[in-house]
Each structure stands twice: as C-alpha cells, then as structure tokens.
Amino acid sequence: MSNCAKASNSAREHLLRLDRLRLIDKAQNEGFTLRQIADLLEISATQVHRLAQRVLQQPAELEYTPREVIYQRSAGVITDDEMMDTLVHWNYTYGSVPTDGGQQVDAYAKGSWDDVRRAYRRGLLTDDEWDILFDATRTARQAQRAAAPG
C-alpha cells in the first residue's frame, strides 16, 4: 500500500470517528438512549457508552479544526483549492507554554496552527502549500511571539 493510500485511509478513519462522536453527541442531546444510538450506528451499546464518555470528557474533540480540513482533502471530500482557501483564512491559535504564578509550567498548550505544522511534517501538505500557509500566517505568528511572556 502506498503512503498516499495509507494517508487517505487514515484520513477517512479519522473523519468517520469524528462523525460518529458528533452523531452520538447530537443524538444524546435530542434524548436518544444509548441502545437507540447503538442500533442507529450498528455498534454495541458498550461502544456507544465509551464514546459518549469521551465526548463528555473531551468536548473540544468535536470542534472543527485545521486537521479535519486537511483530512477531508486527504480523503477526497474536498479539493486542494477548497482546503487551501479554508486554511489560508483560518483564525489560528498558536501554542504556548502556560504559566502559573508567573512561572512556566511543564506543559505545552497546543494551538490550531500545530495541526498545520504536524500535517506538513507527516507529508499531508506539500512544500508549496506549507509555504503559502506559512506566509499567510507570518504576521499573526510574529504578534503571538511578541505577546508571549518571557
């Protein structure tokens, strides 16, 4: 299997998992029981319960992210141009090391730009795509660095 086929399969699996989590969240909010959701998804109620707990513990996982946009392109859901248009106009957040009482903590708070960096390192973005995105975000990245403590 080629790297391109592996990336496409991985992207489809990621998108399917997101769709499943969002469907579970929506169905629960509409009053469906775990059994009804399990029947709808054709999976066990135990799996639904586990996924529902994940949604409760990590609600940010349901948010639309640059990673999802990149996966949509990899899976053939959107075109290269659609992906780039969305990513160029994204209102990115940038990762930082949080502080507590003026001291940096031993952690890294990921931002949405990290999705783009990771995708580039994994070969999901071409050099040209990376260059366009890097140039488009230069001012915002510089402003974030200037505002960072330290």
Side-chain angles (χ1 to χ4, degrees), residues 6 16 20 35 44 55 58-59 64 76 83 86 104 113 116 149-150:
K6 288 177 189 174
L16 176 63
R20 188 173 276 177
R35 169 66 18 224
S44 73
V55 168
Q58 300 171 358
Y64 189 56
M83 176 195 73
T86 300
Q104 290 185 335
W113 179 249
V116 176

Side-chain angles (χ1 to χ4, degrees), residues 1-12 74 121-124:
M1 181 179 286
S2 72
N3 283 343
C4 186
K6 288 177 189 174
S8 180
N9 284 339
S10 175
R12 281 193 298 277
S74 293
R121 284 193 309 267
R122 292 184 58 218
L124 299 176

Side-chain angles (χ1 to χ4, degrees), residues 98-110:
T99 58
D100 184 16
Q103 298 293 321
Q104 290 185 335
V105 297
D106 188 24
Y108 179 75
K110 189 180 122 173

Side-chain angles (χ1 to χ4, degrees), residues 61-134:
E61 207 170 330
L62 300 180
E63 294 174 10
Y64 189 56
T65 64
R67 180 172 67 171
E68 183 175 354
V69 174
I70 294 164
Y71 282 153
Q72 287 174 337
R73 189 274 296 267
S74 293
V77 175
I78 62 174
T79 66
D80 297 348
D81 289 341
E82 290 169 320
M83 176 195 73
M84 288 302 291
D85 184 56
T86 300
L87 294 177
V88 163
H89 294 100
W90 198 275
N91 185 20
Y92 291 100
T93 57
Y94 299 92
S96 63
V97 177
T99 58
D100 184 16
Q103 298 293 321
Q104 290 185 335
V105 297
D106 188 24
Y108 179 75
K110 189 180 122 173
S112 57
W113 179 249
D114 291 297
D115 288 351
V116 176
R117 289 177 33 191
R118 182 171 182 256
Y120 177 65
R121 284 193 309 267
R122 292 184 58 218
L124 299 176
L125 294 172
T126 66
D127 289 341
D128 288 343
E129 290 166 342
W130 169 256
D131 289 344
I132 290 166
L133 295 171
F134 195 78

Side-chain angles (χ1 to χ4, degrees), residues 1-44:
M1 181 179 286
S2 72
N3 283 343
C4 186
K6 288 177 189 174
S8 180
N9 284 339
S10 175
R12 281 193 298 277
E13 287 175 18
H14 178 80
L15 294 171
L16 176 63
R17 185 181 58 77
L18 269 174
D19 286 347
R20 188 173 276 177
L21 289 173
R22 288 176 178 144
L23 191 142
I24 289 169
D25 183 56
K26 185 176 190 306
Q28 282 194 303
N29 289 333
E30 292 177 2
F32 284 77
T33 66
L34 292 181
R35 169 66 18 224
Q36 289 171 319
I37 298 169
D39 289 345
L40 178 66
L41 294 176
E42 298 181 356
I43 60 176
S44 73

